[in-house]
């Protein structure tokens, strides 16, 4: 049995800005990783929160990914349940793409994720 203090928790990570300049090409952020990933072995991501900032009036298509599995982000900040396969000890990264027809470069800044995790089988009730 997993002690309650290890059953659930969260971590926060930030990444440097990403400039998206080439139409049709996806630009990825640096990895967003927990400080002590080895301590999170076997923990599942239950929920993920994100935020990034775009210049006023600018838009990007955005995803938050772990490996090749991605969540489509419909806004520059939000919170969602994570895919069941996401592991708390593995890094995440943002992917960005210019919207169709846009040719002007856009810089995404202040990239941040907050990852809530739990042990497999742990109740998600708080």
């Amino acid at each position: 049995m997993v002690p309650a203090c290890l059953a659930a928790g969260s971590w926060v990570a930030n990444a440097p800005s990403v400039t998206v300049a080439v139409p049709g090409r996806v630009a990825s952020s640096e990895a967003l990783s927990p400080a002590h990933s080895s301590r999170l072995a076997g923990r599942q991501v239950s929920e993920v929160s994100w935020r990034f900032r775009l210049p006023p009036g600018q838009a990007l298509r955005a995803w938050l990914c772990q490996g090749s599995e991605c969540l489509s982000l419909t806004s520059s900040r939000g919170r969602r349940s994570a895919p069941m396969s996401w592991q708390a000890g593995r890094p995440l990264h943002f992917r960005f793409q210019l919207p169709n027809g846009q040719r002007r470069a856009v810089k995404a800044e202040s990239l941040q994720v907050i990852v809530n995790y739990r042990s497999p089988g742990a109740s998600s009730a708080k």
Side-chain angles (χ1 to χ4, degrees):
M1 181 160 210
V2 177
C5 63
L6 296 177
S10 64
W11 56 266
V12 178
N14 298 287
S17 301
V18 174
T19 299
V20 186
V22 180
R25 184 173 296 165
V26 173
S28 295
S29 72
E30 288 186 12
L32 298 119
S33 301
H36 303 286
S37 60
S38 63
R39 294 182 188 171
L40 301 177
R43 307 293 192 291
Q44 294 175 319
V45 177
S46 56
E47 184 178 71
V48 64
S49 300
W50 70 88
R51 72 175 184 193
F52 56 88
R53 191 175 66 229
L54 300 175
Q58 298 296 312
L60 287 174
R61 295 179 63 206
W63 300 267
L64 186 60
C65 306
Q66 187 172 79
S68 61
E69 188 167 9
C70 298
L71 292 174
S72 179
L73 307 179
T74 58
S75 65
S76 62
R77 66 184 317 134
R79 179 178 9 185
R80 287 185 55 187
S81 295
M84 294 285 291
S85 62
W86 282 17
Q87 297 297 306
R90 293 186 52 217
L92 300 172
H93 62 277
F94 286 96
R95 289 184 181 170
F96 297 104
Q97 186 176 37
L98 292 172
N100 291 337
Q102 184 169 320
R103 303 243 181 263
R104 174 187 264 173
V106 176
K107 187 174 186 178
E109 300 180 302
S110 304
L111 284 63
Q112 182 181 67
V113 293
I114 301 172
V115 173
N116 295 313
Y117 61 86
R118 64 176 180 264
S119 293
S123 170
S124 58
K126 294 183 180 179

